[in-house]
Amino acid sequence: MSEKKIELAVLDLAGTTIADDGLVLRAFDAAATAAGLSADGPERAAADRYVRDTMGQSKISVFRTLFGDEDRAQRANRAFEAAYDEFATAARPIPGAAEAITRLRAAGVKVALTTGFSPDTRDRLLAAVGWGELADLALSPADAGRGRPYPDLVLTAVLRLRIDAVDRVAVLGDTASDIGTGLAAGARIVAGTRTGAHTEEQLLAAGATHVVPSVVEFAELILA
């Protein structure tokens, strides 16, 4: 591994630094119903599988692929955000996450929080856990161009925070989409965490360089 110091940690939100507790899937369930999918049957089962497989990606992009109709996708996205905003009031941080982020920043590592949520939903989630000022930057796909698994979120953080090179970046997420984003961006460390949607096997299959129990151990990995 390069001896160059990691300058930027790019951390996912739901499932990685904030406990998901099934909130995303519950919000997707409300969105699918609003978009006219029946509560059961093969179409609903296929949609549920797709949602699980694409966890971490831009929500509106997922709905566009699922429904193939912009009006229906927008209706689903509005229902998702309304449901998630309601559920997010009960959001709680992953144990030790805030302390881990504070440790990283105290050591000179900048921290960007990224998500597939819209900026409004992202900001409500951060406010719900009192993290408005915790990180250096918070990004949604609308801020970067494209969401996961494209590299845009990571590269936007690199540019905005004036990081010297992508090999000074470490990425952490709980889904295969997070891993894909980090690899596409050329980050030196692209780690998965076992606190979220996808299993260790799925994360390793996606190409994770490391799999850690939580963001706490990820911070230790960077600072070691």
Side-chain angles (χ1 to χ4, degrees):
M1 183 178 290
S2 169
E3 293 301 318
K4 295 177 181 177
K5 179 180 180 292
I6 292 293
E7 297 179 358
L8 170 65
V10 179
L11 311 177
D12 172 52
L13 282 177
T16 300
T17 52
I18 297 176
D20 175 60
D21 293 332
L23 300 184
V24 170
L25 292 177
R26 287 167 57 197
F28 265 119
D29 189 59
T33 299
L37 280 184
S38 60
D40 50 29
E43 188 180 11
R44 185 60 168 257
D48 288 346
R49 284 195 301 273
Y50 183 74
V51 165
R52 291 176 186 274
D53 290 344
T54 58
M55 288 286 275
Q57 295 186 18
S58 165
K59 301 305 178 279
I60 185 60
S61 296
V62 170
F63 290 130
R64 284 172 176 147
T65 300
L66 268 178
F67 301 123
D69 176 270
E70 185 65 19
D71 288 343
R72 199 177 178 195
Q74 291 290 346
R75 186 164 70 250
N77 195 57
R78 287 192 296 270
F80 173 87
E81 293 193 354
Y84 197 89
D85 286 349
E86 178 184 348
F87 300 151
T89 59
R92 58 185 178 83
I94 294 289
E99 294 80 2
I101 292 170
T102 299
R103 283 185 64 208
L104 287 169
R105 295 186 70 193
V109 179
K110 293 183 178 179
V111 176
L113 299 173
T114 62
T115 181
F117 299 148
S118 72
D120 285 346
T121 299
R122 175 201 70 210
D123 291 345
R124 289 191 187 97
L125 180 59
L126 291 173
V129 293
W131 283 10
E133 304 296 327
L134 182 65
D136 295 281
L137 183 66
L139 293 172
S140 294
D143 304 310
R146 297 172 296 179
R148 306 177 185 117
Y150 299 102
D152 302 31
L153 286 166
V154 174
L155 296 180
T156 298
V158 167
L159 291 171
R160 290 199 186 181
L161 296 174
R162 299 182 178 276
I163 304 306
D164 290 343
V166 291
D167 73 347
R168 310 287 182 90
V169 177
V171 173
L172 179 70
D174 66 298
T175 69
S177 297
D178 293 303
I179 303 304
T181 288
L183 294 175
R188 189 199 316 170
I189 295 173
V190 183
T193 174
R194 295 198 290 267
T195 54
H198 287 171
T199 65
E200 181 170 357
E201 290 73 19
Q202 288 174 299
L203 296 167
L204 290 172
T209 60
H210 305 73
V211 176
V212 294
S214 78
V215 63
V216 174
E217 289 77 14
F218 178 74
E220 293 171 355
L221 172 68
I222 291 176
L223 298 176

